[in-house]
Amino acid sequence: MANALGGAKETLGEELLYDRSARTRWRLGFDKWIGRLLPLLFIVAILPILDLVYYVASNALPTLTWTILTSTNPYAPDALGVPIISTAEMMTAATLVAVVLGLFGGVATAEFLSDRTAAIVRTSANMLVGTPSVVLGYMGYFLFCVRFGWGLTFIAGAFTLAFFMTPYIFRIADLAFTSIPRHIREAALGSGARPYQYVVRVGAPIAFPQILNGVFLAMAIGVGETAPIVLTTTASKVLPTGAFSPVSFLTATIWENFSQPSGSPEIALAFQAALLVVIVVVGLNVIVRIISARYQRRLEGLFQ
Amino acid sequence: MLRQLGPFIVASVPIIILLLIVLVLIFATGFANLGSSFWGSDWNPPKAWGIAVFVVGSFVTAIPALFLAMAIGLGLAIASTVYLPRWATRILDPFVDLLAGIPSVVYGIWGYLLVAPYFGKVLNPWVYAHFSFIPGFGGRAPISDGLGLPISIFLLTLMALPITTLLIRDSLRSLPRELWESGLGMGATRWEATRRIAIPYGSRGILSAGFLGFGRAFGETVAVAMVLNVMAAYPVNFYSATGTMASQMFLNLDAAFGSSSWLAALSYMALVLLAISLAVNLIGRRLVARVVSYEVAGL
Amino acid sequence: MSGTLPDAGGPVISVQHLSVKARARAILDDINLDFGRSSLTAVIGPSGCGKTTFVRTLNRMAELTPGLTVEGSVLYLGQNIYDTQVNPVMVRRRIGMVFQRPTVFPTSVFENAAFGLRLIHEDEDTIDKRVTEGLQQAGLWEEVKDDLDRAALSLSGGQQQRLCIARALSVQPKVILLDEPCSALDPAATQRVEATMEFLKQNYVLILVTHNVGQAARVSDRIAVLSSGRLIEVGATADVLERPQQAFTEQFITGRFT
Ligand SMILES: Nc1ncnc2c1ncn2[C@@H]1O[C@H](COP(=O)(O)OP(=O)(O)O)[C@@H](O)[C@H]1O
Ligand SMILES: [Mg+2]
């Protein structure tokens, strides 16, 4: 046998050092260089982000004043107060609806459905996340604006946005409850708690941080949406006065003004709106990251 | 089953919304018969309703973006799971996740005002000058405003990248430690163990990343509407404009107002877009078990 | 020492002043031990005493665990494998490893056995030949020769473990480290793997980690006893088992530890 020790061909330990066959050199060199080159791909991800944020900020900040942020003057070309306040109102309304729909749905899926039924419901939540937002906008338009006769108004936009946000909250609520360690659930039920008592008294406090996370996440995604809003509302220069009045939205402001001539107050407004949206989205994402890191540690603690 | 009825009604919210979308779109078509032109290439309202241009346009923009996002995503995932030290991935990975958070309208304004002119003045003419011998890269010269396929594909790549990267990363990380170590224990280099063990082991997840990344690019609306210079024509070459279903739907709802056949055409288009998106998503999610990192990241 | 075969050119592996630390904690403490040709050395000791860590330092697998620092040297045919110029990839080709649980790759039986050969671009004839040899030496050939394309994961646990041995053999190493290779197997499969080891020790240096004294008694020529990271006794199997020098060894082999 060729590999028998003390046999025909004796190799020394130095071959470890001096094995310099072309194939070996190629293998080791390839591994070394691919390990150095692949991380450079991060430039592809990092450069656009930095460039985008810098570009938006550098076009938004020079002309940004406190007055622009707060002015609700409908005749001023450079007033952001209306979109800012409208966005806050729309987001509040949409989040409330989405939390009601998503939270209860998610908890019911995690705690009360059989595995098979839950799988169907989860799949449809995933499908909903995968539905192009323009299609959802069409649904909102045809259902709320046309069929219900609400027109392009606050309530039509808020409901469409709420439908858009619901599956995200739904999935996280479901996840938050399914990831509670089994023994905690069994201990609660074993000591005589009804399922709903377990959910309210034991499960909810544990799941709360992650559910809050899901709500922030859905808000971050919702506040950046454009198509469903533009399709179901009409741009307004004044604050909404009720559910059935026209309304504006920060992303809609960007959409309406992005092709204005450079140097005009309108294009500056678009950049300022963009900067605000980016700040809100990134801020929410940072909060989400912080909460979920803490939550993960807590959850790990529960497993001990 | 009966005991489950109450919870089921509460839990069925996503099913109801999904059904609502389908039913509303079906009724929005008014069951109008748009004639034989519907699957054709001639979109010329109110005479012809050929949506083929937009179906093709959606694929022509999404597929190159998908390939780029898969290639870059695979590289990023390997870099961060195999080669980079932990402290480095902790700093670098969040940038990829952040790409998913930037709203598409912000991508759009950046793309339209800053990147498109660069494509128009520098990149496209350079590619045209040096690579026009490749079929599809010659012919009509690129226009200097830079709007069209290249910039659209560029933005779609950035938008699909977080999805592909995240899921490929997850698939590679799912490799049991012992398998990885027994590869290295055989004298495989890290690259060889990645290519011959980790990638085959995670192949379903990687395939799934492809489907879901495609779904993201295929349905993207606003950014494409801003930089594609949407028109109802097949692209004549790499630099030209075309239309996608999503952008066409988005830009034409106003114009269609009052014309029942125009609304019907757009609604049919919405159904086609929805059907393809859902099919792609369903396959993509079926390939892997529940992807928790996705739900947490909102993808 | 085992002494059944002539010691032509010194030990194959010589461990000198080897210590391993995790942060401040010592996991292995100043180990000195030689492994001669064509022998099977069993490393025994209670669980947590550092057996796994020890064998993993012998082919530089230990450095895959973050936080471990290795001091001292391990000479392979006179060459320190911890020299900065030595690439661990080259070390592991010569010093193969079989793990506690079978680690077959999710491909066919053939491709598993051919894994290491594909890496160095052997031609198909060589691959066929070495895969066959590897499977024969591992005692698996008769069971799989009719269908080498079947999925490796469809084999039984014992067959998978022998496939892992065949995979390690195919690249013609001199040393094979086996870390409790039978701990996940039933008695019948254990017996097959032990038979395989007894056959292999005629031609390879085998280092077997086990916490099973019976197994050490059955297959090994020599026993090394570890306790809390220190090597407390080495000797021919019969000597150690019948006349242990250390009280700890005696307690361990009479089953007062697990
Ligand atoms: N990476 C590590 N960090 C800290 N301690 C470790 C690490 N790996 C192993 N240990 C410790 O080293 C000791 C020896 O472990 P091991 O070699 O696995 O023992 P054995 O295989 O004999 O059961 C154990 O006490 C274990 O807790
Ligand atoms: Mg061990």
Side-chain angles (χ1 to χ4, degrees), chain A residues 1-6 10-17 19-20 23-24 27-28, chain C residues 37 76-77 79 81 85 87 89-91 94 119-121 137 172 174 203-205:
Chain A
M1 234 173 291
N3 53 340
L5 286 166
E10 176 71 357
T11 42
L12 286 172
E14 280 176 4
E15 70 178 316
L16 291 175
L17 258 181
D19 184 339
R20 286 287 181 265
R23 175 66 195 157
T24 304
R27 289 174 61 214
L28 299 182
Chain C
R37 298 169 184 259
Y76 167 73
L77 297 175
Q79 170 64 49
I81 63 170
Q85 290 136 299
N87 194 306
V89 169
M90 305 312 299
V91 175
R94 271 113 191 153
L119 299 180
I120 47 175
H121 280 193
Q137 293 181 34
Q172 304 186 323
K174 290 196 173 11
N203 289 307
Y204 298 85
V205 179

mmCIF file of all heavy atoms in Angstrom, chain A residues 1-6 10-17 19-20 23-24 27-28, chain C residues 37 76-77 79 81 85 87 89-91 94 119-121 137 172 174 203-205:
data_model
loop_
_atom_site.group_PDB
_atom_site.id
_atom_site.type_symbol
_atom_site.label_atom_id
_atom_site.label_comp_id
_atom_site.label_asym_id
_atom_site.label_seq_id
_atom_site.Cartn_x
_atom_site.Cartn_y
_atom_site.Cartn_z
ATOM 1 N N MET A 1 0.833 -1.212 0.000
ATOM 2 C CA MET A 1 0.000 0.000 0.000
ATOM 3 C C MET A 1 0.863 1.255 0.000
ATOM 4 O O MET A 1 1.808 1.365 0.768
ATOM 5 C CB MET A 1 -0.901 -0.013 1.221
ATOM 6 C CG MET A 1 -2.348 0.165 0.834
ATOM 7 S SD MET A 1 -3.374 -0.048 2.272
ATOM 8 C CE MET A 1 -3.170 -1.797 2.568
ATOM 9 N N ALA A 2 0.522 2.208 -0.815
ATOM 10 C CA ALA A 2 1.379 3.382 -0.988
ATOM 11 C C ALA A 2 1.453 4.212 0.289
ATOM 12 O O ALA A 2 2.445 4.874 0.551
ATOM 13 C CB ALA A 2 0.848 4.239 -2.130
ATOM 14 N N ASN A 3 0.395 4.156 1.078
ATOM 15 C CA ASN A 3 0.368 5.027 2.234
ATOM 16 C C ASN A 3 0.874 4.331 3.493
ATOM 17 O O ASN A 3 0.809 4.877 4.572
ATOM 18 C CB ASN A 3 -1.032 5.564 2.474
ATOM 19 C CG ASN A 3 -2.044 4.455 2.546
ATOM 20 O OD1 ASN A 3 -1.775 3.344 2.065
ATOM 21 N ND2 ASN A 3 -3.184 4.719 3.143
ATOM 22 N N ALA A 4 1.366 3.142 3.324
ATOM 23 C CA ALA A 4 1.867 2.436 4.498
ATOM 24 C C ALA A 4 3.126 3.106 5.008
ATOM 25 O O ALA A 4 4.027 3.440 4.259
ATOM 26 C CB ALA A 4 2.159 0.983 4.150
ATOM 27 N N LEU A 5 3.171 3.308 6.280
ATOM 28 C CA LEU A 5 4.345 3.956 6.851
ATOM 29 C C LEU A 5 5.503 2.978 6.837
ATOM 30 O O LEU A 5 5.329 1.772 6.935
ATOM 31 C CB LEU A 5 4.054 4.393 8.279
ATOM 32 C CG LEU A 5 3.141 5.605 8.327
ATOM 33 C CD1 LEU A 5 2.611 5.789 9.730
ATOM 34 C CD2 LEU A 5 3.871 6.832 7.865
ATOM 35 N N GLY A 6 6.697 3.530 6.758
ATOM 36 C CA GLY A 6 7.869 2.675 6.724
ATOM 37 C C GLY A 6 7.927 1.881 5.428
ATOM 38 O O GLY A 6 8.729 0.971 5.288
ATOM 39 N N GLU A 10 9.256 7.337 1.821
ATOM 40 C CA GLU A 10 9.140 8.025 3.098
ATOM 41 C C GLU A 10 9.078 9.534 2.854
ATOM 42 O O GLU A 10 9.860 10.096 2.110
ATOM 43 C CB GLU A 10 10.360 7.692 3.967
ATOM 44 C CG GLU A 10 10.407 8.419 5.281
ATOM 45 C CD GLU A 10 9.363 7.919 6.255
ATOM 46 O OE1 GLU A 10 8.564 7.048 5.905
ATOM 47 O OE2 GLU A 10 9.338 8.424 7.373
ATOM 48 N N THR A 11 8.077 10.173 3.452
ATOM 49 C CA THR A 11 7.993 11.624 3.311
ATOM 50 C C THR A 11 8.295 12.251 4.659
ATOM 51 O O THR A 11 7.970 11.701 5.695
ATOM 52 C CB THR A 11 6.593 12.056 2.854
ATOM 53 O OG1 THR A 11 5.654 11.288 3.565
ATOM 54 C CG2 THR A 11 6.430 11.889 1.378
ATOM 55 N N LEU A 12 8.907 13.390 4.629
ATOM 56 C CA LEU A 12 9.254 14.066 5.855
ATOM 57 C C LEU A 12 8.224 15.120 6.209
ATOM 58 O O LEU A 12 7.473 15.588 5.360
ATOM 59 C CB LEU A 12 10.627 14.734 5.697
ATOM 60 C CG LEU A 12 11.797 13.753 5.724
ATOM 61 C CD1 LEU A 12 13.078 14.455 5.379
ATOM 62 C CD2 LEU A 12 11.890 13.082 7.084
ATOM 63 N N GLY A 13 8.190 15.485 7.449
ATOM 64 C CA GLY A 13 7.262 16.510 7.891
ATOM 65 C C GLY A 13 7.471 17.814 7.166
ATOM 66 O O GLY A 13 6.558 18.624 7.052
ATOM 67 N N GLU A 14 8.678 18.000 6.607
ATOM 68 C CA GLU A 14 8.933 19.265 5.933
ATOM 69 C C GLU A 14 8.078 19.460 4.706
ATOM 70 O O GLU A 14 7.899 20.585 4.252
ATOM 71 C CB GLU A 14 10.408 19.371 5.570
ATOM 72 C CG GLU A 14 11.229 19.782 6.774
ATOM 73 C CD GLU A 14 12.706 19.791 6.459
ATOM 74 O OE1 GLU A 14 13.037 19.546 5.292
ATOM 75 O OE2 GLU A 14 13.481 20.035 7.387
ATOM 76 N N GLU A 15 7.531 18.350 4.203
ATOM 77 C CA GLU A 15 6.657 18.523 3.038
ATOM 78 C C GLU A 15 5.507 19.464 3.374
ATOM 79 O O GLU A 15 4.947 20.120 2.512
ATOM 80 C CB GLU A 15 6.092 17.173 2.592
ATOM 81 C CG GLU A 15 5.080 16.635 3.594
ATOM 82 C CD GLU A 15 4.471 15.324 3.174
ATOM 83 O OE1 GLU A 15 4.110 15.197 2.005
ATOM 84 O OE2 GLU A 15 4.367 14.427 4.042
ATOM 85 N N LEU A 16 5.178 19.528 4.664
ATOM 86 C CA LEU A 16 4.138 20.467 5.072
ATOM 87 C C LEU A 16 4.528 21.874 4.665
ATOM 88 O O LEU A 16 3.711 22.671 4.234
ATOM 89 C CB LEU A 16 3.974 20.444 6.598
ATOM 90 C CG LEU A 16 3.397 19.189 7.208
ATOM 91 C CD1 LEU A 16 3.428 19.293 8.710
ATOM 92 C CD2 LEU A 16 1.972 19.002 6.722
ATOM 93 N N LEU A 17 5.807 22.179 4.836
ATOM 94 C CA LEU A 17 6.295 23.522 4.515
ATOM 95 C C LEU A 17 6.519 23.681 3.028
ATOM 96 O O LEU A 17 6.218 24.708 2.454
ATOM 97 C CB LEU A 17 7.632 23.741 5.210
ATOM 98 C CG LEU A 17 7.605 24.584 6.454
ATOM 99 C CD1 LEU A 17 9.004 24.720 6.986
ATOM 100 C CD2 LEU A 17 7.027 25.952 6.115
ATOM 101 N N ASP A 19 5.452 21.862 0.366
ATOM 102 C CA ASP A 19 4.537 21.436 -0.698
ATOM 103 C C ASP A 19 4.165 22.668 -1.513
ATOM 104 O O ASP A 19 3.348 23.486 -1.120
ATOM 105 C CB ASP A 19 3.278 20.793 -0.116
ATOM 106 C CG ASP A 19 2.396 20.271 -1.225
ATOM 107 O OD1 ASP A 19 2.545 20.749 -2.372
ATOM 108 O OD2 ASP A 19 1.575 19.386 -0.975
ATOM 109 N N ARG A 20 4.817 22.810 -2.627
ATOM 110 C CA ARG A 20 4.583 23.995 -3.438
ATOM 111 C C ARG A 20 4.151 23.597 -4.846
ATOM 112 O O ARG A 20 4.493 24.246 -5.814
ATOM 113 C CB ARG A 20 5.854 24.846 -3.504
ATOM 114 C CG ARG A 20 6.135 25.593 -2.201
ATOM 115 C CD ARG A 20 5.155 26.748 -2.050
ATOM 116 N NE ARG A 20 5.412 27.491 -0.816
ATOM 117 C CZ ARG A 20 4.764 27.261 0.333
ATOM 118 N NH1 ARG A 20 3.863 26.301 0.396
ATOM 119 N NH2 ARG A 20 5.021 27.981 1.393
ATOM 120 N N ARG A 23 -0.926 23.115 -8.009
ATOM 121 C CA ARG A 23 -2.311 22.977 -7.559
ATOM 122 C C ARG A 23 -2.461 23.496 -6.127
ATOM 123 O O ARG A 23 -3.393 24.216 -5.815
ATOM 124 C CB ARG A 23 -2.719 21.501 -7.650
ATOM 125 C CG ARG A 23 -4.086 21.157 -7.103
ATOM 126 C CD ARG A 23 -5.194 21.784 -7.921
ATOM 127 N NE ARG A 23 -6.452 21.722 -7.174
ATOM 128 C CZ ARG A 23 -7.472 22.518 -7.382
ATOM 129 N NH1 ARG A 23 -7.414 23.449 -8.319
ATOM 130 N NH2 ARG A 23 -8.567 22.406 -6.673
ATOM 131 N N THR A 24 -1.536 23.146 -5.266
ATOM 132 C CA THR A 24 -1.620 23.590 -3.883
ATOM 133 C C THR A 24 -1.497 25.103 -3.803
ATOM 134 O O THR A 24 -2.260 25.763 -3.090
ATOM 135 C CB THR A 24 -0.498 22.940 -3.048
ATOM 136 O OG1 THR A 24 -0.622 21.527 -3.186
ATOM 137 C CG2 THR A 24 -0.631 23.314 -1.597
ATOM 138 N N ARG A 27 -4.742 26.597 -4.831
ATOM 139 C CA ARG A 27 -5.828 26.444 -3.846
ATOM 140 C C ARG A 27 -5.665 27.430 -2.704
ATOM 141 O O ARG A 27 -6.593 28.126 -2.311
ATOM 142 C CB ARG A 27 -5.826 25.025 -3.272
ATOM 143 C CG ARG A 27 -6.269 23.958 -4.250
ATOM 144 C CD ARG A 27 -6.093 22.585 -3.615
ATOM 145 N NE ARG A 27 -6.905 22.467 -2.425
ATOM 146 C CZ ARG A 27 -6.564 21.779 -1.347
ATOM 147 N NH1 ARG A 27 -5.407 21.154 -1.313
ATOM 148 N NH2 ARG A 27 -7.372 21.737 -0.316
ATOM 149 N N LEU A 28 -4.464 27.477 -2.161
ATOM 150 C CA LEU A 28 -4.244 28.339 -1.008
ATOM 151 C C LEU A 28 -4.339 29.813 -1.405
ATOM 152 O O LEU A 28 -4.921 30.634 -0.698
ATOM 153 C CB LEU A 28 -2.886 28.043 -0.367
ATOM 154 C CG LEU A 28 -2.706 26.616 0.151
ATOM 155 C CD1 LEU A 28 -1.357 26.448 0.812
ATOM 156 C CD2 LEU A 28 -3.825 26.225 1.107
ATOM 157 N N ARG C 37 4.868 4.769 15.082
ATOM 158 C CA ARG C 37 4.254 4.272 13.844
ATOM 159 C C ARG C 37 3.287 3.131 14.114
ATOM 160 O O ARG C 37 3.465 2.386 15.065
ATOM 161 C CB ARG C 37 5.348 3.767 12.934
ATOM 162 C CG ARG C 37 6.214 4.881 12.620
ATOM 163 C CD ARG C 37 7.483 4.604 11.964
ATOM 164 N NE ARG C 37 8.104 5.898 11.909
ATOM 165 C CZ ARG C 37 8.114 6.631 10.802
ATOM 166 N NH1 ARG C 37 7.635 6.169 9.676
ATOM 167 N NH2 ARG C 37 8.643 7.820 10.831
ATOM 168 N N TYR C 76 5.243 17.038 13.580
ATOM 169 C CA TYR C 76 4.797 15.971 12.695
ATOM 170 C C TYR C 76 6.003 15.582 11.849
ATOM 171 O O TYR C 76 6.488 16.406 11.070
ATOM 172 C CB TYR C 76 3.643 16.457 11.823
ATOM 173 C CG TYR C 76 3.315 15.540 10.677
ATOM 174 C CD1 TYR C 76 2.683 14.336 10.905
ATOM 175 C CD2 TYR C 76 3.659 15.876 9.370
ATOM 176 C CE1 TYR C 76 2.403 13.481 9.858
ATOM 177 C CE2 TYR C 76 3.370 15.041 8.317
ATOM 178 C CZ TYR C 76 2.744 13.845 8.565
ATOM 179 O OH TYR C 76 2.469 12.993 7.533
ATOM 180 N N LEU C 77 6.506 14.370 12.040
ATOM 181 C CA LEU C 77 7.744 13.925 11.389
ATOM 182 C C LEU C 77 8.816 15.000 11.514
ATOM 183 O O LEU C 77 9.477 15.369 10.553
ATOM 184 C CB LEU C 77 7.475 13.584 9.918
ATOM 185 C CG LEU C 77 6.496 12.423 9.696
ATOM 186 C CD1 LEU C 77 6.194 12.246 8.219
ATOM 187 C CD2 LEU C 77 7.064 11.123 10.259
ATOM 188 N N GLN C 79 8.529 18.189 12.023
ATOM 189 C CA GLN C 79 8.182 19.563 11.645
ATOM 190 C C GLN C 79 7.089 20.087 12.580
ATOM 191 O O GLN C 79 6.027 19.468 12.691
ATOM 192 C CB GLN C 79 7.694 19.569 10.195
ATOM 193 C CG GLN C 79 7.089 20.877 9.751
ATOM 194 C CD GLN C 79 8.105 22.000 9.763
ATOM 195 O OE1 GLN C 79 9.198 21.873 9.238
ATOM 196 N NE2 GLN C 79 7.735 23.105 10.406
ATOM 197 N N ILE C 81 3.989 21.775 13.500
ATOM 198 C CA ILE C 81 2.830 22.199 12.688
ATOM 199 C C ILE C 81 2.357 23.585 13.089
ATOM 200 O O ILE C 81 1.543 24.179 12.408
ATOM 201 C CB ILE C 81 1.661 21.191 12.790
ATOM 202 C CG1 ILE C 81 1.127 21.099 14.221
ATOM 203 C CG2 ILE C 81 2.069 19.834 12.267
ATOM 204 C CD1 ILE C 81 -0.168 20.314 14.325
ATOM 205 N N GLN C 85 4.909 29.404 9.114
ATOM 206 C CA GLN C 85 4.844 29.202 7.657
ATOM 207 C C GLN C 85 4.000 27.993 7.272
ATOM 208 O O GLN C 85 3.760 27.759 6.099
ATOM 209 C CB GLN C 85 6.246 28.996 7.086
ATOM 210 C CG GLN C 85 7.083 30.236 7.121
ATOM 211 C CD GLN C 85 8.487 29.878 7.602
ATOM 212 O OE1 GLN C 85 8.670 29.397 8.708
ATOM 213 N NE2 GLN C 85 9.468 30.100 6.742
ATOM 214 N N ASN C 87 0.788 25.924 6.658
ATOM 215 C CA ASN C 87 -0.630 26.190 6.445
ATOM 216 C C ASN C 87 -1.458 25.051 7.035
ATOM 217 O O ASN C 87 -1.196 23.891 6.748
ATOM 218 C CB ASN C 87 -0.897 26.319 4.953
ATOM 219 C CG ASN C 87 -2.249 26.914 4.678
ATOM 220 O OD1 ASN C 87 -3.258 26.420 5.178
ATOM 221 N ND2 ASN C 87 -2.278 27.972 3.897
ATOM 222 N N VAL C 89 -4.201 23.916 6.263
ATOM 223 C CA VAL C 89 -4.808 23.079 5.227
ATOM 224 C C VAL C 89 -3.897 21.901 4.896
ATOM 225 O O VAL C 89 -4.346 20.763 4.732
ATOM 226 C CB VAL C 89 -5.091 23.925 3.969
ATOM 227 C CG1 VAL C 89 -5.463 23.037 2.796
ATOM 228 C CG2 VAL C 89 -6.190 24.924 4.262
ATOM 229 N N MET C 90 -2.594 22.159 4.846
ATOM 230 C CA MET C 90 -1.658 21.087 4.530
ATOM 231 C C MET C 90 -1.552 20.098 5.688
ATOM 232 O O MET C 90 -1.411 18.896 5.479
ATOM 233 C CB MET C 90 -0.264 21.674 4.218
ATOM 234 C CG MET C 90 -0.247 22.724 3.125
ATOM 235 S SD MET C 90 -1.143 22.217 1.647
ATOM 236 C CE MET C 90 -0.205 20.788 1.194
ATOM 237 N N VAL C 91 -1.617 20.618 6.899
ATOM 238 C CA VAL C 91 -1.547 19.748 8.074
ATOM 239 C C VAL C 91 -2.703 18.761 8.064
ATOM 240 O O VAL C 91 -2.526 17.554 8.269
ATOM 241 C CB VAL C 91 -1.585 20.583 9.372
ATOM 242 C CG1 VAL C 91 -1.635 19.669 10.587
ATOM 243 C CG2 VAL C 91 -0.388 21.512 9.446
ATOM 244 N N ARG C 94 -2.735 15.527 6.082
ATOM 245 C CA ARG C 94 -1.939 14.393 6.564
ATOM 246 C C ARG C 94 -2.452 13.833 7.872
ATOM 247 O O ARG C 94 -2.141 12.715 8.229
ATOM 248 C CB ARG C 94 -0.487 14.829 6.751
ATOM 249 C CG ARG C 94 0.297 14.635 5.497
ATOM 250 C CD ARG C 94 0.690 15.943 4.940
ATOM 251 N NE ARG C 94 1.223 15.834 3.615
ATOM 252 C CZ ARG C 94 1.154 16.821 2.734
ATOM 253 N NH1 ARG C 94 0.525 17.934 3.033
ATOM 254 N NH2 ARG C 94 1.674 16.683 1.557
ATOM 255 N N LEU C 119 -10.659 17.860 -4.352
ATOM 256 C CA LEU C 119 -10.013 19.128 -4.022
ATOM 257 C C LEU C 119 -8.666 19.257 -4.710
ATOM 258 O O LEU C 119 -8.271 20.346 -5.112
ATOM 259 C CB LEU C 119 -9.812 19.250 -2.504
ATOM 260 C CG LEU C 119 -11.051 19.226 -1.635
ATOM 261 C CD1 LEU C 119 -10.657 19.344 -0.183
ATOM 262 C CD2 LEU C 119 -11.990 20.354 -2.018
ATOM 263 N N ILE C 120 -7.950 18.130 -4.807
ATOM 264 C CA ILE C 120 -6.629 18.240 -5.407
ATOM 265 C C ILE C 120 -6.640 17.817 -6.867
ATOM 266 O O ILE C 120 -5.587 17.560 -7.459
ATOM 267 C CB ILE C 120 -5.592 17.405 -4.614
ATOM 268 C CG1 ILE C 120 -6.147 16.011 -4.327
ATOM 269 C CG2 ILE C 120 -5.246 18.082 -3.302
ATOM 270 C CD1 ILE C 120 -5.150 15.100 -3.660
ATOM 271 N N HIS C 121 -7.848 17.774 -7.461
ATOM 272 C CA HIS C 121 -7.976 17.504 -8.900
ATOM 273 C C HIS C 121 -7.304 16.215 -9.321
ATOM 274 O O HIS C 121 -6.564 16.208 -10.311
ATOM 275 C CB HIS C 121 -7.394 18.664 -9.725
ATOM 276 C CG HIS C 121 -8.349 19.805 -9.817
ATOM 277 N ND1 HIS C 121 -8.172 20.848 -10.708
ATOM 278 C CD2 HIS C 121 -9.459 20.089 -9.142
ATOM 279 C CE1 HIS C 121 -9.142 21.720 -10.561
ATOM 280 N NE2 HIS C 121 -9.942 21.285 -9.611
ATOM 281 N N GLN C 137 -10.867 -0.423 3.057
ATOM 282 C CA GLN C 137 -10.146 -0.355 4.332
ATOM 283 C C GLN C 137 -11.077 -0.002 5.484
ATOM 284 O O GLN C 137 -10.869 -0.421 6.615
ATOM 285 C CB GLN C 137 -9.038 0.692 4.253
ATOM 286 C CG GLN C 137 -7.929 0.294 3.285
ATOM 287 C CD GLN C 137 -6.839 1.344 3.262
ATOM 288 O OE1 GLN C 137 -6.544 1.963 4.258
ATOM 289 N NE2 GLN C 137 -6.252 1.533 2.096
ATOM 290 N N GLN C 172 -5.024 9.654 1.825
ATOM 291 C CA GLN C 172 -3.790 9.026 2.260
ATOM 292 C C GLN C 172 -3.084 9.793 3.364
ATOM 293 O O GLN C 172 -1.948 10.215 3.207
ATOM 294 C CB GLN C 172 -2.850 8.837 1.071
ATOM 295 C CG GLN C 172 -3.518 8.033 -0.022
ATOM 296 C CD GLN C 172 -2.558 7.705 -1.142
ATOM 297 O OE1 GLN C 172 -1.718 8.512 -1.491
ATOM 298 N NE2 GLN C 172 -2.707 6.542 -1.706
ATOM 299 N N LYS C 174 -1.376 10.067 7.229
ATOM 300 C CA LYS C 174 -0.580 9.126 8.019
ATOM 301 C C LYS C 174 -1.211 8.906 9.383
ATOM 302 O O LYS C 174 -1.019 7.870 10.003
ATOM 303 C CB LYS C 174 0.818 9.675 8.190
ATOM 304 C CG LYS C 174 1.608 9.672 6.891
ATOM 305 C CD LYS C 174 3.054 9.836 7.183
ATOM 306 C CE LYS C 174 3.948 9.682 5.966
ATOM 307 N NZ LYS C 174 3.294 9.639 4.672
ATOM 308 N N ASN C 203 -1.504 0.042 9.535
ATOM 309 C CA ASN C 203 -0.880 0.915 8.555
ATOM 310 C C ASN C 203 -0.922 2.398 8.888
ATOM 311 O O ASN C 203 -0.322 3.193 8.189
ATOM 312 C CB ASN C 203 -1.551 0.735 7.189
ATOM 313 C CG ASN C 203 -1.200 -0.606 6.580
ATOM 314 O OD1 ASN C 203 -0.027 -0.950 6.460
ATOM 315 N ND2 ASN C 203 -2.213 -1.381 6.248
ATOM 316 N N TYR C 204 -1.678 2.760 9.890
ATOM 317 C CA TYR C 204 -1.803 4.185 10.195
ATOM 318 C C TYR C 204 -1.511 4.407 11.666
ATOM 319 O O TYR C 204 -1.577 3.494 12.476
ATOM 320 C CB TYR C 204 -3.221 4.688 9.916
ATOM 321 C CG TYR C 204 -3.646 4.576 8.484
ATOM 322 C CD1 TYR C 204 -4.188 3.401 7.993
ATOM 323 C CD2 TYR C 204 -3.499 5.659 7.624
ATOM 324 C CE1 TYR C 204 -4.576 3.277 6.674
ATOM 325 C CE2 TYR C 204 -3.884 5.561 6.295
ATOM 326 C CZ TYR C 204 -4.419 4.365 5.836
ATOM 327 O OH TYR C 204 -4.805 4.270 4.540
ATOM 328 N N VAL C 205 -1.246 5.661 11.992
ATOM 329 C CA VAL C 205 -1.185 6.046 13.385
ATOM 330 C C VAL C 205 -2.596 6.460 13.779
ATOM 331 O O VAL C 205 -3.135 7.425 13.236
ATOM 332 C CB VAL C 205 -0.226 7.242 13.586
ATOM 333 C CG1 VAL C 205 -0.208 7.652 15.049
ATOM 334 C CG2 VAL C 205 1.161 6.887 13.087
#
